[in-house]
């Protein structure tokens, strides 16, 4: 559970919290059986087991745990236990980590699915009465008695008979471990594998002829995905042991662990199958039994067995290929560097590749299915430049001899930073000039940089536990923009981060139901929830703020020192704070303590709004917690931040500021004063270029002065701040902190705005109003207002557009607004282009292709929809995402229902695309209620069958509810949450959705009458 926001947030005792920037203390419970009450308890079990003289096979279910123990003991006259005691004790022992229950019988025969007879010692301690079973723990962490240092892994998939329902894989893993604490069992993670042979445990350095430990049984804890190997003797502290396990599992298309992917080859006129891995976050255990926690790093020697017609890839270079007697080939790979299990990767496929060398002689390759190999050039060329750039930036070489990048037909996530073998969705790696949109081009570059940045943040240095995964993902997100900026500076990515990342996550972070960056996670579902926009985007936002207040070079040197000191190790956020503070002191950066500052940003949810008022020649600054919804904005008790504040005035016009220009607003200060400000009627603007993660509010006079400046000459204000001012004013108006009139007035100047970023910020606000006004009387005037703002703009977009990327993005946005709001010229052009494309293959300019597709489907019927669906199935990769979104634009109910049914059929819509197919319907106002009904009817199936990932389910809830504002709609969501959703499945999206609906209800009640009147007045239309 996370701490409720209504409690005071006291940073004085944060070091006492578990997982708080340091490794947790060793656990001592349940690791060793002592001769005490517990020993007596074990003897009691022995008595009854001998007495009954029968095999006991117990399957337990309760507290969401499922444990199977098996043993068979010889008769004994002792019977001193209470009824039902054996089942309770066995379950408790298994769940506590004391799986000796199956080794309690002298000369016992232990039976399990794949085990054989072993002997166990007899405990002679006398017990006169039974004891209560130990309390069952909820801890899902592995016992800390064994620590792995090396794995030998062999994997063989069977995917060659064209019957995918029969595909399987088998393997063997030898895990080499150090014994940290004496124990009679070894616990590893294991998913759905079947153990096919009796496990074996051996001493690694057995020079004295000592007997190896005997395996006397196994047990499974399904809830915690544990496989427990029970031994006949205690392992010795300081010794090294190996555990050998043989296993098999089904090879399915579930997109986790080792999974099945496929594509249709026109050349072969056949479906081709491939097997690939996705092991983050807790999916390595579904591929091979292992110690599947990020701190339990080891080296991996991988052998992949295949038929000759395909080849394999893994993290390291291929050492050799051995011909096996059954016709298979064993590809033996070099041993990896030390790394966590989630970075292990391999692929079995028939792909082609392009390869070149980096300046540091790293072999850099891009793999794709054969028909897409000509779309790999951009990734190869720019990826090499980015790897070189990061090596120079960190002053640390990439640590492996090769880096492969592979585009996969089926992949749940965007990409995965497996060390030496990075996996991507096809659309996120492949670029085709004249076909790929500018948006996708930018995203391809950014996601390549993101994954390459992980080679340092996440791979060289990994978190101790998942609660600090933001150190991986926040840094990779920030560095992805910096990386593209270093290679393609003309794109101005370090400007775009404000609208792509910061403004988007500030909306998510403006609700009571949001979460801090740093938060605890215990179960796999909770761990999965960490991979959200707060971790990625808010993490990147506060890192960018730190980059600014430390100074770019101090920040870079601090990261270099941190990475070198912690190389190949595991870290917590305090390790980073120490390194950056050390560098700041060396560089003479004073006035702040990194830990004091950053703890206020990663351990509190939400963010502040800084209130700026002018008093003569002074600025008065105060802070308060920001929440959307006027009834919530005063709930700031216990919330305060260390804020690096910057500003400029109408006279100074200084939008190029550095760390020396910062005024610090302290978390324990009620007011901060800035002297020597010119006492005139000009405007003041705070948070220059949005280096700080906060909003800024002003008095009405200052807001009006800003509006006048935008109307008279908007170029006097930096383009980033123009966009920020739009977002801030709208957020503040929604929160009731300024008048809604100011927010609308901020949009009027847009008819003269020629830059993309202010328009992108405005588009998000217009989209919110669009949802809130859909179906209301004011919508017509709203649509006329939008059309007025874009009136006179060219709708001509070339196929091969060599303008700057932000200008191309602006053309795409304007064209989209024009068609969305039914500008006749836009609709006519779209229908003409779609028809020419469908009938003659005439190319559509890529940046407007998605809008053209959507408009044609919306205005057309079955013919247009069927053609677009065929393009989704068989068209180029650059069209699949666009087609998927446009298929939801239909206004025909029966077509929409067919599409929704397809979304849960993997032979119609790929599993990776289920979420986006459903979202495309929910974003269509005409089809929304059909989509909502579909969710209500199919939610349990989607949840329980794992048809949709938890984060994707949260996305669906968010989009479905973002425009709801009535009591009836709220009651439906509550019904879905409380009566339809399986209560055993944790899902955070419902609370956030309910929070958003409540804010929308408040907005509608307080603002709709004003908005309706403002639009009538400013559009010049009367009913």
């Amino acid at each position: 559970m996370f701490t409720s926001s209504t409690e005071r947030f006291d940073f004085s005792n944060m070091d006492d919290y578990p997982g708080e920037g340091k490794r947790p203390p060793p656990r001592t419970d349940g690791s060793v059986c002592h001769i005490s009450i517990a020993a007596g308890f074990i003897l009691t079990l022995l008595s009854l087991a001998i007495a009954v003289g029968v095999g006991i096979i117990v399957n337990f279910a309760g507290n969401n745990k499922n444990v199977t123990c098996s043993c068979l003991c010889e008769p004994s006259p002792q019977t001193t236990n209470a009824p039902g005691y054996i089942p309770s004790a066995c379950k408790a022992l298994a769940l506590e980590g004391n799986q000796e229950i199956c080794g309690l019988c002298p000369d016992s025969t232990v039976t399990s699915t794949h085990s054989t007879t072993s002997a166990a010692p007899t405990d002679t301690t006398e017990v006169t009465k039974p004891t209560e079973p130990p309390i069952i723990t909820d801890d899902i962490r592995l016992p800390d008695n064994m620590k792995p240092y090396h794995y030998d892994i062999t994997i063989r998939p069977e995917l060659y008979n064209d019957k995918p329902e029969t595909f399987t894989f088998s393997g063997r893993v030898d895990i080499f471990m150090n014994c940290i604490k004496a124990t009679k069992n070894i616990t590893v993670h294991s998913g759905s594998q079947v153990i096919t042979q009796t496990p074996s445990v051996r001493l690694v350095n057995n020079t004295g002829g000592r007997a190896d430990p005997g395996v006397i049984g196994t047990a499974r804890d399904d809830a915690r995905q544990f496989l427990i190997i029970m031994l006949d003797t205690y392992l010795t502290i300081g010794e090294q042991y190996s555990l050998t396990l043989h296993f098999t599992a089904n090879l399915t298309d579930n997109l986790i662990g080792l999974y099945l992917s496929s594509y249709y080859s026109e050349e072969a006129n056949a479906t081709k199958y491939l097997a690939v891995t996705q092991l983050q976050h807790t999916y390595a255990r579904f591929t091979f039994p292992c110690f599947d926690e990020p701190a339990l790093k080891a080296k991996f020697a991988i052998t992949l067995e295949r038929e000759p017609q395909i080849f394999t890839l893994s993290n390291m270079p291929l050492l050799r290929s051995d011909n096996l007697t059954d016709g298979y080939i064993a590809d033996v790979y070099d041993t990896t560097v030390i790394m966590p299990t989630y970075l292990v990767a391999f692929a079995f496929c028939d792909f082609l590749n392009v390869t070149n060398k980096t300046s540091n002689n790293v072999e850099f390759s891009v793999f794709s299915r054969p028909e897409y190999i000509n779309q790999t050039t951009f990734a190869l060329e720019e990826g090499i430049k980015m790897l070189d750039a990061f090596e120079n930036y960190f002053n640390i070489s990439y640590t492996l001899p090769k880096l492969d990048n592979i585009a996969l037909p089926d992949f749940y996530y965007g990409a995965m930073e497996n060390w030496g073998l990075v996996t991507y969705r096809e659309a996120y790696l492949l670029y085709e000039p004249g076909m790929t949109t500018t948006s996708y081009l930018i995203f391809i570059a950014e996601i390549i940089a993101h994954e390459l940045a992980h080679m340092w943040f996440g791979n060289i240095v990994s978190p101790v536990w998942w609660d600090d995964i933001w150190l991986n993902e926040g840094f990779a997100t920030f560095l992805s923009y910096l990386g593209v900026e270093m290679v393609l500076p003309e794109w101005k990515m370090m400007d775009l981060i404000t609208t792509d990342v910061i403004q988007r996550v500030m909306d998510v972070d403006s609700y009571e139901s949001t979460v801090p960056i740093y938060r605890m996670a215990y179960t796999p579902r909770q761990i999965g929830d960490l991979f959200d926009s707060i971790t990625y985007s808010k993490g990147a936002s506060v890192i960018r703020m730190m980059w600014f207040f430390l100074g770019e070079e101090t920040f870079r040197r601090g990261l270099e020192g941190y990475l070198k000191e912690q190389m190949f190790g595991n870290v917590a956020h305090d390790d980073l704070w120490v390194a950056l503070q050390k560098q700041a002191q060396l560089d003479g950066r004073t006035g702040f303590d990194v830990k004091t500052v950053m703890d206020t940003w990663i351990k509190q949810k939400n963010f502040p709004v800084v209130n700026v008022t002018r008093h003569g020649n002074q600025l008065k600054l105060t802070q308060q917690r920001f929440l959307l919804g006027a009834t919530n904005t005063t709930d700031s008790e216990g919330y305060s931040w260390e804020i690096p504040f910057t500003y400029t005035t109408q006279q100074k016009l200084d939008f190029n500021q550095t760390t020396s220009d910062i005024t610090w607003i302290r978390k324990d200060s009620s007011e901060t004063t800035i002297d020597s400000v010119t006492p005139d009627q000009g405007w003041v603007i705070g948070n220059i270029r949005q280096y700080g993660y906060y909003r800024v509010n002003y008095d009405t006079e200052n807001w009006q002065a800003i509006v006048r400046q935008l109307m008279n000459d908007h170029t006097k204000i930096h383009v980033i701040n123009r966009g920020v001012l739009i977002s801030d004013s709208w957020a503040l108006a929604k929160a009731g902190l300024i008048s809604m009139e100011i927010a609308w007035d901020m949009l009027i100047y847009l008819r003269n705005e020629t830059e993309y970023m202010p328009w992108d910020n405005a588009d998000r606000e217009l989209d919110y109003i669009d949802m809130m006004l859909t179906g209301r009387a004011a919508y017509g005037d709203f649509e006329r207002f939008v059309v007025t703002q874009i009136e006179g703009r060219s709708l001509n977009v070339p196929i091969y557009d060599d303008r700057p990327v932000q200008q191309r993005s602006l053309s795409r946005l304007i064209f989209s607004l024009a068609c969305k709001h039914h500008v006749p010229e836009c609709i006519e052009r779209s229908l003409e282009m779609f028809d020419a494309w469908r009938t003659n293959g005439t190319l559509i300019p890529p940046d407007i292709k998605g809008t053209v597709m959507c408009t044609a489907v919306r205005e057309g019927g079955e013919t247009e929809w069927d053609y677009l669906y065929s393009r989704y199935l068989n068209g180029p990769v650059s069209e699949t995402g666009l087609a998927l979104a446009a298929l939801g634009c239909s206004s025909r109910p029966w077509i929409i229902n067919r599409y929704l049914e397809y979304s849960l059929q993997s032979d119609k819509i790929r599993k990776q695309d289920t979420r986006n197919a459903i979202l495309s319907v929910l974003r269509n106002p005409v089809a929304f209620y059909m989509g909502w009904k579909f969710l209500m009817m199919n939610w349990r199936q989607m949840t329980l069958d794992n048809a949709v990932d938890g984060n994707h389910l949260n996305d669906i809830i968010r989009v479905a509810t973002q425009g709801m504002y009535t009591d009836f709609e709220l009651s439906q969501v509550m019904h879905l949450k409380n009566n339809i959703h399986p209560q055993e499945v944790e899902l955070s999206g419902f609370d956030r959705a309910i929070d958003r609906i409540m804010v929308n209800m408040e907005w509608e009640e307080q603002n709709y009458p004003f908005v309706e009147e403002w639009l009538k007045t400013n559009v010049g239309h009367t009913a």
Side-chain angles (χ1 to χ4, degrees):
M1 295 290 290
F2 298 114
T3 304
S4 170
S5 65
T6 57
E7 298 180 12
R8 288 180 177 269
F9 211 97
D10 182 7
F11 292 98
S12 63
N13 66 339
M14 289 307 293
D15 288 338
D16 297 332
Y17 292 170
E20 187 59 34
K22 56 180 180 284
R23 293 173 178 80
R27 296 189 303 277
T28 58
D29 57 308
S31 297
V32 179
C33 182
H34 302 281
I35 299 178
S36 59
I37 294 176
F41 161 54
I42 291 174
L43 274 185
T44 306
L45 298 180
L46 172 61
S47 302
L48 182 58
I50 294 174
V52 298
V54 294
I56 302 173
I57 299 176
V58 189
N59 288 279
F60 299 99
N63 294 331
N64 296 321
K65 303 278 192 292
N66 185 5
V67 179
T68 302
C69 296
S70 42
C71 65
L72 182 65
C73 301
E74 296 296 324
S76 169
Q78 301 178 18
T79 56
T80 59
N81 295 286
Y85 186 69
I86 288 288
S88 298
C90 180
K91 177 182 177 181
L93 280 172
L95 296 179
E96 279 289 279
N98 287 330
Q99 275 74 36
E100 291 92 342
I101 187 167
C102 294
L104 300 179
C105 310
D107 300 321
S108 65
T109 299
V110 181
T111 61
S112 65
T113 306
H114 306 290
S115 65
T116 57
T117 301
S118 301
T122 302
D123 190 332
T124 59
T125 305
E126 185 177 1
V127 176
T128 58
K129 63 179 180 180
T131 58
E132 291 298 320
I135 298 173
I136 296 172
T137 180
D138 290 327
D139 188 3
I140 57 87
R141 302 287 291 273
L142 288 169
D144 58 358
N145 43 37
M146 306 298 292
K147 185 174 182 180
Y149 63 88
H150 180 89
Y151 291 75
D152 286 335
I153 302 170
T154 300
I155 298 289
R156 173 186 287 203
E158 303 290 349
L159 69 168
Y160 308 105
N161 64 8
D162 294 326
K163 296 179 180 179
E165 67 277 6
T166 68
F167 290 174
T168 61
F169 68 92
S170 59
R172 165 178 169 159
V173 61
D174 296 280
I175 310 175
F176 296 82
M177 307 158 289
N178 291 307
C179 182
I180 309 302
K181 296 180 180 180
T183 180
K184 286 185 69 177
N185 59 70
I186 300 172
T187 302
V188 297
H189 285 113
S190 179
S192 54
Q193 304 98 340
V194 174
I195 305 302
T196 57
Q197 296 183 27
T198 302
S200 62
V201 177
R202 292 180 173 84
L203 274 163
V204 174
N205 300 308
N206 193 357
T207 57
R210 292 172 291 170
D212 290 322
V215 175
I216 60 174
T218 63
R220 281 190 179 272
D221 177 349
D222 292 333
R224 296 188 288 185
Q225 299 170 344
F226 284 179
L227 172 65
I228 305 103
I229 314 300
M230 291 163 285
L231 310 174
D232 64 358
T233 186
Y234 282 99
L235 304 183
T236 303
I237 296 174
E239 291 281 9
Q240 295 179 333
Y241 297 87
S242 68
L243 168 65
T244 299
L245 294 163
H246 295 78
F247 55 90
T248 186
N250 292 324
L251 182 62
T252 68
D253 62 351
N254 62 356
L255 305 181
I256 62 171
L258 178 64
Y259 69 89
L260 181 67
S261 179
S262 65
Y263 69 95
Y264 179 76
S265 170
E266 291 186 2
E267 181 179 352
N269 190 29
T271 298
K272 297 294 188 76
Y273 297 99
L274 56 150
V276 293
T277 54
Q278 171 59 37
L279 305 191
Q280 194 186 55
H281 41 84
T282 56
Y283 302 138
R285 64 194 68 174
F286 289 92
T287 303
F288 54 94
C290 57
F291 291 82
D292 200 12
E293 294 182 2
L296 300 178
K297 290 185 172 183
K299 294 184 177 182
F300 298 83
I302 296 170
T303 299
L304 304 176
E305 297 180 357
R306 59 177 172 88
E307 287 194 356
Q309 68 270 24
I310 64 172
F311 71 95
T312 65
L313 295 169
S314 190
N315 304 85
M316 297 297 289
L318 181 67
L319 285 180
R320 68 181 188 275
S321 295
D322 298 333
N323 292 316
L324 304 179
T325 57
D326 59 359
Y328 277 71
I329 297 172
D331 291 334
V332 181
Y333 286 88
D334 200 356
T335 302
T336 70
V337 296
I338 187 170
M339 65 185 194
T341 50
Y342 72 79
L343 292 178
V344 173
F346 32 87
F348 299 78
C349 62
D350 66 344
F351 285 3
L352 299 180
N353 70 286
V354 293
T355 302
N356 209 333
K357 293 289 185 72
T358 71
S359 62
N360 201 25
N361 208 37
V362 175
E363 186 176 273
F364 193 97
S365 302
V366 182
F367 291 78
S368 75
R369 51 170 125 166
E371 55 264 43
Y372 289 159
I373 195 64
N374 63 342
Q375 299 179 34
T376 58
T377 303
F378 178 85
L380 179 69
E381 294 178 351
E382 302 307 322
I384 287 174
K385 294 176 186 177
M386 289 175 192
L387 195 65
D388 286 341
F390 281 132
E391 286 187 322
N392 292 331
Y393 184 78
F394 295 121
N395 195 26
I396 300 172
S397 297
Y398 173 70
T399 50
L400 303 187
K402 64 97 173 175
L403 202 165
D404 296 333
N405 303 265
I406 184 169
L408 299 175
D410 299 279
F411 194 70
Y412 221 125
Y413 306 99
M416 177 61 206
E417 65 271 16
N418 313 300
W419 214 341
L421 177 56
V422 183
T423 46
Y424 302 78
R425 281 198 189 194
E426 288 177 327
Y428 298 164
L429 186 65
L430 306 177
Y431 170 69
E432 186 176 8
M435 296 290 288
T436 304
T437 68
T438 298
S439 297
Y440 266 104
L441 173 62
I442 293 171
F443 189 62
I444 289 168
E446 188 245 311
I447 204 167
I448 292 172
H450 182 109
E451 302 312 319
L452 298 188
H454 272 310
M455 301 301 116
W456 288 265
F457 277 88
N459 295 13
I460 284 182
V461 174
S462 310
V464 172
W465 183 245
W466 297 106
D467 50 10
D468 265 323
I469 194 63
W470 77 275
L471 292 173
N472 288 16
E473 301 302 346
F475 267 96
T477 302
F478 169 76
L479 290 167
S480 68
Y481 282 80
L482 184 61
V484 179
E485 178 92 359
M486 291 188 290
V487 172
L488 296 163
E490 65 275 15
W491 288 11
K492 299 181 179 179
M493 291 295 288
M494 291 304 285
D495 289 351
L496 279 175
I497 194 174
T498 61
T499 183
D500 288 353
V501 175
I502 300 173
Q503 286 299 335
R504 293 179 191 275
V505 76
M506 288 184 96
D507 178 64
V508 175
D509 202 26
S510 296
Y511 293 87
E512 176 69 50
S513 54
T514 190
V515 291
I517 293 174
Y518 178 76
R519 57 201 190 269
M520 300 300 162
Y522 303 99
T523 68
R525 175 75 73 169
Q526 291 169 351
I527 293 168
D529 282 347
L530 293 174
F531 291 79
D532 63 1
S533 60
I534 295 297
T535 292
Y536 284 73
S537 298
K538 185 176 180 179
S541 300
V542 300
I543 289 167
R544 178 175 175 268
M545 180 172 63
M546 186 166 57
W547 174 70
F548 174 69
F549 76 70
L550 284 169
E552 295 179 24
E553 187 58 18
T554 295
F555 177 81
R556 189 203 65 75
R557 289 174 181 165
L559 295 187
E560 178 185 342
Y562 163 77
L563 291 170
K564 288 180 176 178
E565 181 178 353
Q566 304 290 346
M567 187 170 291
F568 301 116
N570 291 90
V571 297
H573 54 264
D574 278 347
D575 297 313
L576 177 63
W577 305 158
V578 169
L580 293 175
Q581 185 64 38
K582 178 181 177 181
Q583 190 62 51
Q585 291 171 347
L586 289 174
D587 293 350
R589 302 292 189 190
T590 61
F592 56 83
D593 175 75
V594 174
K595 176 176 172 56
T596 300
V597 173
M598 295 306 296
D599 278 358
T600 67
W601 294 97
I602 71 167
K603 295 176 181 176
Q604 294 183 108
K605 61 183 181 180
N606 306 122
F607 55 86
V609 54
V610 175
N611 300 300
V612 179
T613 55
R614 177 175 288 178
H615 299 272
N617 65 344
Q618 291 183 328
L619 290 182
K620 301 287 187 181
L621 311 176
T622 61
Q623 65 165 293
Q624 69 183 88
R625 178 192 185 197
F626 179 81
L627 287 171
L628 287 173
T631 59
N632 290 330
T633 53
T634 58
D635 184 17
S636 298
E637 187 176 2
Y639 285 82
S640 61
W641 289 262
E642 295 277 315
I643 304 171
F645 182 78
T646 54
Y647 75 98
T648 191
T649 66
Q650 189 168 351
Q651 286 68 40
K652 291 171 61 178
L653 294 177
D654 180 11
F655 290 94
N656 296 299
Q657 301 196 5
T658 67
T659 182
S660 61
D661 297 303
I662 292 173
T663 297
W664 282 97
I665 304 174
R666 301 301 182 186
K667 64 185 179 69
D668 53 359
S669 176
S670 60
E671 183 177 85
T672 302
T673 301
I674 300 176
D675 296 318
S676 304
V677 179
T678 305
D680 56 40
Q681 300 303 309
W683 48 257
V684 174
I685 291 177
N687 198 11
I688 301 307
R689 297 171 75 165
Q690 203 175 21
Y691 286 124
Y693 185 72
Y694 55 89
R695 298 201 184 278
V696 185
N697 192 13
Y698 314 94
D699 55 46
T700 301
E701 184 177 348
N702 197 79
W703 277 113
Q704 291 172 342
I706 291 171
V707 170
R708 289 193 297 271
Q709 181 67 73
L710 291 173
M711 293 296 294
N712 294 333
D713 185 359
H714 60 273
T715 63
K716 296 291 185 183
I717 300 174
H718 193 278
V719 63
I720 293 177
N721 280 100
R722 298 204 297 270
V724 172
L725 286 165
I726 291 172
S727 292
D728 278 1
S729 63
W730 274 88
L732 294 165
K734 292 174 191 175
L737 296 177
I738 65 173
S739 71
M740 187 58 65
E741 183 176 12
I742 290 174
W744 281 96
D745 288 348
M746 291 288 293
L747 299 180
I748 296 175
Y749 98 97
L750 284 171
R751 66 192 65 179
N752 299 317
E753 179 61 79
T754 59
E755 295 290 341
Y756 167 71
M757 286 186 289
W759 264 106
D760 189 55
N761 282 277
D763 184 50
R764 278 196 298 277
E765 306 306 334
L766 292 171
D767 192 53
Y768 177 76
I769 299 301
D770 191 289
M771 290 186 296
M772 295 300 293
L773 297 186
T774 295
R776 305 296 297 275
Y779 190 84
D781 283 334
F782 167 70
E783 192 160 73
R784 279 182 281 274
F785 171 77
V786 175
V787 171
T788 300
Q789 301 308 105
I790 63 176
E791 195 171 22
R793 306 222 177 212
S794 173
L795 298 180
N796 294 320
V797 179
I799 293 176
Y800 297 98
D801 196 341
D802 59 359
R803 292 177 300 160
V805 294
Q806 292 195 36
Q807 287 301 303
R808 287 144 59 181
S809 296
L810 179 60
S811 293
R812 184 261 311 157
L813 190 154
I814 296 299
F815 193 93
S816 175
L817 284 173
C819 281
K820 178 179 181 179
H821 294 287
H822 301 91
V823 173
E825 179 188 357
C826 189
I827 295 174
E828 291 168 7
R829 288 191 178 203
S830 295
L831 297 180
E832 290 172 0
M833 285 187 282
F834 186 90
D835 187 60
W837 175 55
R838 182 175 65 85
T839 56
N840 303 318
T842 305
L843 293 179
I844 301 172
D847 285 331
I848 61 172
K849 184 183 290 186
T851 299
V852 169
M853 290 176 174
C854 180
T855 303
V857 169
R858 183 186 71 194
E859 302 294 326
E862 185 177 11
T863 299
E864 290 77 10
W865 197 95
D866 286 349
Y867 179 73
L868 204 55
Y869 179 63
S870 73
R871 299 299 290 186
Y872 165 74
L873 294 177
N874 304 311
V877 66
S878 60
E879 289 180 359
T880 55
L882 301 177
L884 190 75
L887 288 169
C889 294
S890 177
S891 56
R892 306 289 181 93
W894 71 271
I895 291 178
I896 288 295
N897 280 324
R898 181 176 69 176
Y899 187 35
L900 289 168
E901 291 171 1
Y902 282 6
S903 71
L904 296 183
Q905 301 174 36
S906 59
D907 60 333
K908 298 289 197 303
I909 299 293
R910 289 184 183 269
K911 283 190 175 183
Q912 67 180 19
D913 295 329
T914 296
R915 172 192 60 172
N916 288 344
I918 295 172
L919 293 184
S920 71
V921 173
L922 294 173
R923 291 186 173 115
N924 177 356
V926 175
F928 172 80
Y929 283 105
M930 286 180 281
W932 179 245
K933 178 182 177 182
F934 175 83
L935 289 182
M936 299 282 278
M937 293 174 61
N938 293 278
W939 188 260
R940 287 188 64 84
Q941 174 194 344
M942 293 165 58
T943 305
L944 292 176
D945 294 351
N946 292 315
V948 184
D949 173 80
N951 284 331
H952 286 191
L953 288 171
N954 285 332
D955 287 343
I956 291 171
I957 296 170
R958 174 183 57 82
V959 173
T961 58
Q962 63 187 356
M964 293 183 176
Y965 59 86
T966 67
D967 288 324
F968 173 72
E969 290 167 322
L970 178 60
S971 67
Q972 286 191 313
V973 175
M974 295 297 293
H975 177 71
L976 176 61
K977 176 188 177 184
N978 297 327
N979 300 319
I980 298 177
H981 179 74
Q983 296 306 299
E984 66 271 23
V985 178
E986 302 172 84
L987 208 61
S988 60
F990 282 113
D991 290 340
R992 300 182 189 187
I994 292 166
D995 201 358
R996 185 178 291 266
I997 294 171
M998 297 294 289
V999 169
N1000 289 349
M1001 292 171 68
E1002 182 179 281
W1003 185 94
E1004 196 277 338
E1005 180 182 352
Q1006 296 185 4
N1007 294 301
Y1008 178 79
F1010 169 82
V1011 170
E1012 184 177 35
E1013 187 61 33
W1014 190 94
L1015 286 169
K1016 286 181 179 179
T1017 302
N1018 286 274
V1019 175
H1021 169 77
T1022 56

